[in-house]
Amino acid sequence: MKRQVEGNIIDIYSRKILAGIIHIQNGYIDQIEITGKTYDHYILPGFIDAHIHIESSMLVPREFARIAVNHGTVATVSDPHEIANVLGIAGVRYMIENGKTVPLKFHFGAPSCVPATTFETAGAVITSKDIEEMLTWEEVLYLAEMMNYPGVLFQDEEVMKKIAAAKRLGKPIDGHAPGLTGDDAIQYIQAGITTDHECFTYEEALHKLLNGMKIIIREGSAAKNFEELWPLIDEFPDKVMLCSDDLHPDNLMEGHINLIVQRALAKGCNLYDVLQVACINPVLHYNLPVGTLRVGEEADFIIVNNTKDFDILETWINGNCVSDRGLSMISYDSSPKVNLFDTSPITAGDLALKAESEKINVIKAGDGQLITGHMEAKATIANGYAVSNVDGDILKIAVVNRYSSQKPAIAFIHNFGIKHGAIASCVAHDSHNIIAVGTDDILLSQAINAIIENKGGISATDGTITDVLPLPIAGIMTGSRAEEVAETYQRLDNMSKKMGSTLSAPFMTLSFMALLVIPALKLSDKGLFDGRTFSFTRVFI
């Protein structure tokens, strides 16, 4: 099939804009004809998310794609370790097969850390042999983020086998080492780690970049690092990429990589630098089969209104228009369900925590950050039990094993701000047990049991109303329409804020409070964990 598309063509490689016609044959660019005409729109390569967990959108790949193409996204570099921590290799295969049903180009990695640590209960284990097998699949292009950076530094045998397999097969290795600098960062990089999306200061990113690593600037729903890192775009345009990492459904409806591009241009970044970072660098680094507006390549591109606003008019993949002025050409379709959820309802008594002293260690949550702080506080004690201090914003946090009925782990957290009520989720990176924060044990148990009843989801309760978004696919996704998911999620988000939460994204922040590989204090189903020492610590001092 032959097609033609006319417009002002942005050639990122030559850093020129030329008016012309793109001739397409059988999904590839057959010729680019320069016309010299005047056009009121611009054609450029499509946007690529260089690191994302599709599962965090709570949508299956097909439904994610239906919305993402409206924002000019033509491809993703997707780490499926969320579903892998629940279902193992079968979960990775589920994501691959679901993604194949749509034109958006999903490129998956082999999850390197399943479970993320040995200090929590996950639903599966992926060994170095499993990694080697997956890296031979044609759909798997890289070794996904090596979160176990202590394992790299101490040369853990299994960790090094995974890295060696990727090297042997010529696959890039993604990193994940928040705050790691100095000689440790250099050792981590020299092991073969090629990227990091976890930098939260300019100094950290610059240090890693100057020592051979590429930096992926993240702007997601919870972790937002653009403001700190955007100067790198003009300073090192060949060594930077953009990603969302974790994007909740309501934010996906608003935009994707296109929003980061718009912000970079508003900062005054060079047009070609921004587009190289957003459109070209991921293709070159990961060797993606994605077109970049050159003859002989796949006809993957977008059309925008101008080079300032960058409003997406059309998105093309493999020579076909998949989005036209906000109307996605990808149809909605239901997806099969897979899950692993086997725990019994709990009672308020299961959450009671007998006081052992008058002083406690407290997790200090940050808004827009995955890292947490550590603070000490005076325990609030009632009838011999430690309870939430609502006035001091020190609330009880609980993690419940979703894979078997076990005693909940209990600790305390600061900065959620809830005055009366509780929120819960089993979108809890990376093992996806149930995590909840609330003002008292009764409300906490109600929010947790709403998740258990639905075998996955997010929930909120104020004591009168309990609302829930069911996530029946692996307990972390749904096959429902994105619009419905976003509406329900927004309703729960609003409810949590009416209960007093001051966080911009309470559920997204909550989902990272069990992510042990990011310091300082976090809570797993096995207890309070100090990510600085990589060991458990006590709630009571």
Side-chain angles (χ1 to χ4, degrees), residues 149 152-154 177 179-190 207-208:
Y149 64 82
V152 176
L153 299 181
F154 292 105
L180 195 68
T181 58
D183 291 341
D184 285 347
I186 294 171
Q187 181 184 339
Y188 183 70
I189 295 166
Q190 289 178 343
H207 175 72
K208 289 175 176 174

Side-chain angles (χ1 to χ4, degrees), residues 325-346:
R325 289 161 178 77
L327 177 62
S328 179
M329 303 301 170
I330 299 174
S331 63
Y332 167 77
D333 194 10
S334 59
S335 298
K337 296 179 182 179
V338 290
N339 209 345
L340 180 59
F341 210 104
D342 187 18
T343 191
S344 303
I346 66 167

Side-chain angles (χ1 to χ4, degrees), residues 21-60:
I21 303 173
I22 298 174
H23 295 266
I24 302 168
Q25 184 165 354
N26 298 325
Y28 287 81
I29 296 177
D30 184 57
Q31 177 189 357
I32 297 179
E33 176 187 352
I34 305 305
T35 63
K37 294 181 180 179
T38 300
Y39 299 100
D40 62 357
H41 57 272
Y42 293 76
I43 307 172
L44 65 148
F47 299 134
I48 301 170
D49 192 324
H51 178 80
I52 185 173
H53 306 285
I54 301 298
E55 304 96 312
S56 291
S57 70
M58 305 180 192
L59 307 173
V60 293

Side-chain angles (χ1 to χ4, degrees), residues 312-334:
I312 310 298
L313 302 180
E314 296 179 16
T315 301
W316 289 66
I317 300 177
N318 291 335
N320 295 309
C321 181
V322 295
S323 176
D324 186 354
R325 289 161 178 77
L327 177 62
S328 179
M329 303 301 170
I330 299 174
S331 63
Y332 167 77
D333 194 10
S334 59

Side-chain angles (χ1 to χ4, degrees), residues 122-271:
V125 175
I126 291 181
T127 67
S128 57
K129 288 185 178 180
D130 297 329
I131 290 292
E132 190 152 13
E133 176 194 336
M134 282 189 286
L135 287 172
T136 64
W137 299 354
E138 63 177 353
E139 303 94 345
V140 174
L141 300 188
Y142 69 106
L143 182 63
E145 55 184 317
M146 179 49 72
M147 295 182 291
N148 187 3
Y149 64 82
V152 176
L153 299 181
F154 292 105
Q155 297 194 330
D156 175 86
E157 181 180 0
E158 188 71 358
V159 168
M160 301 314 289
K161 283 182 179 179
K162 294 174 181 178
I163 292 174
K167 288 181 175 180
R168 188 165 55 252
L169 293 168
K171 302 293 179 74
I173 304 168
D174 269 7
H176 173 118
L180 195 68
T181 58
D183 291 341
D184 285 347
I186 294 171
Q187 181 184 339
Y188 183 70
I189 295 166
Q190 289 178 343
I193 314 299
T194 61
T195 69
D196 198 351
H197 60 278
E198 290 289 344
C199 297
F200 50 88
T201 67
Y202 174 86
E203 292 74 21
E204 176 193 351
L206 183 63
H207 175 72
K208 289 175 176 174
L209 191 150
L210 293 177
N211 281 284
M213 187 175 266
K214 292 178 181 175
I215 300 302
I216 307 178
I217 299 176
R218 170 177 58 190
E219 191 72 3
S221 294
K224 301 178 183 294
N225 308 123
F226 175 83
E227 284 299 323
E228 292 79 10
L229 304 183
W230 70 264
L232 296 172
I233 294 173
D234 279 347
E235 294 169 358
F236 302 94
D238 60 330
K239 293 179 171 58
V240 174
M241 295 175 271
L242 303 177
C243 81
S244 65
D245 195 2
D246 296 286
L247 199 62
H248 265 188
D250 56 334
N251 296 136
L252 176 62
M253 296 300 295
E254 296 168 357
H256 194 197
I257 299 301
N258 61 313
L259 298 184
I260 311 178
V261 168
Q262 290 171 352
R263 288 179 62 184
L265 293 172
K267 291 285 189 184
C269 291
N270 177 274
L271 170 67

Side-chain angles (χ1 to χ4, degrees), residues 384-396:
Y385 291 89
V387 298
S388 294
N389 176 357
V390 176
D391 292 337
D393 190 18
I394 297 176
L395 304 181
K396 186 175 283 189

